[in-house]
Amino acid sequence: MATTTQRGVMRALLDAHGRTYADEAGIPLKDTPQPLYRLLVLACLLSARIRADIAVAAAKELTAAGMRDPRRMAEATWQQRVDALGRGGYRRYDERTATQLGDGATLATERYGGDLRQLRDQADGDTATIRRLLQEFPGVGPAGADIFLREAQTVWPGTAPYLDAKALQGARALDLPTAPAALLRLADGAEPAVLAAALVRVALDKKAPRAVREAARA
């Protein structure tokens, strides 16, 4: 049974960090082709060893440059992709990532008609199969697939609750339960994607667990 302390920690966690990365990147997530593709791009950017705020900024710059769907991403020149990534501060991996985004856009178009719902349907909605197929996109490894699924569970409820190893790392750092059902009960109605994002933010920031606990005691 959850303790009063755990309930307070969960409230403080969600108050401080309860925002999805898609929301931060300005992606109005829907079960339609363009938002899902933009989420895939964001997952690719977040996969690199680079700060999340830089990846989010780079995703915004790609969108501002018109690269909102696979066709436009593929039609953009390599240099245009590099320049957009650079404007977002994504400089360490910009050249490699520009190539990966171009190749991934071609894959999305040729295999799925630019619609990642076809990927989900090809997997018959099976989460493990979706995760495997996502990793066929250049730059999207296991971590990137997890990022996509953590966020996409809002519009792909068949994959929910998706609380991967990184999210559970955040739960352990806060001395919260690691069973998804128990975490969701503590979250008291919060969307699984919001909970997952909050836990991941704690896992990525060494100072966050202490700050959350202090806020819970205040």
Side-chain angles (χ1 to χ4, degrees):
M1 180 177 290
T3 66
T4 301
T5 298
Q6 287 177 327
R7 293 190 182 94
V9 167
M10 179 61 78
R11 285 193 298 270
L13 168 70
L14 293 173
D15 286 345
H17 302 291
R19 186 184 186 192
T20 65
Y21 287 98
D23 182 54
E24 188 178 345
I27 302 172
L29 202 53
K30 301 176 182 177
D31 190 22
T32 55
Q34 189 180 109
L36 291 170
Y37 175 70
R38 289 174 62 188
L39 177 60
L40 180 67
V41 169
L42 178 62
C44 177
L45 297 176
L46 285 166
S47 296
R49 293 182 180 274
I50 200 162
R51 292 204 322 265
D53 60 331
I54 293 176
V56 166
K60 289 181 176 179
E61 289 294 340
L62 289 165
T63 296
M67 299 173 224
R68 298 179 176 87
D69 57 50
R71 178 181 63 81
R72 290 170 180 162
M73 183 68 79
E75 288 178 351
T77 66
W78 177 83
Q79 190 61 55
Q80 286 172 328
R81 293 193 292 270
V82 168
D83 290 345
L85 292 168
R87 288 192 297 273
Y90 203 92
R91 294 187 178 88
R92 184 177 175 188
Y93 302 97
D94 54 352
E95 295 186 357
R96 183 184 70 183
T97 302
T99 299
Q100 291 172 337
L101 290 174
D103 293 343
T106 299
L107 175 62
T109 300
E110 293 180 351
R111 187 173 299 177
Y112 303 113
D115 185 350
L116 292 176
R117 294 176 299 182
Q118 292 188 26
L119 180 152
R120 179 193 60 198
D121 294 344
Q122 182 175 315
D124 291 327
D126 177 69
T127 301
T129 305
I130 293 172
R131 186 175 185 271
R132 177 179 58 78
L133 292 175
L134 286 169
Q135 292 178 62
E136 294 180 359
F137 285 93
V140 181
D146 286 337
I147 292 165
F148 182 93
L149 285 165
R150 285 198 308 259
E151 302 274 320
Q153 63 183 317
T154 297
V155 294
W156 287 3
T159 63
Y162 196 86
L163 298 172
D164 65 321
K166 184 60 72 174
L168 297 182
Q169 179 184 332
R172 285 191 295 273
L174 293 170
D175 295 321
L176 294 174
T178 55
L183 283 168
L184 286 167
R185 284 195 297 272
L186 267 180
D188 194 25
E191 290 188 3
V194 171
L195 172 60
L199 291 169
V200 167
R201 291 176 195 277
V202 166
L204 295 175
D205 184 350
K206 293 180 180 179
K207 297 179 181 179
R210 181 176 178 180
V212 169
R213 289 194 188 94
E214 289 177 348
R217 290 194 294 267

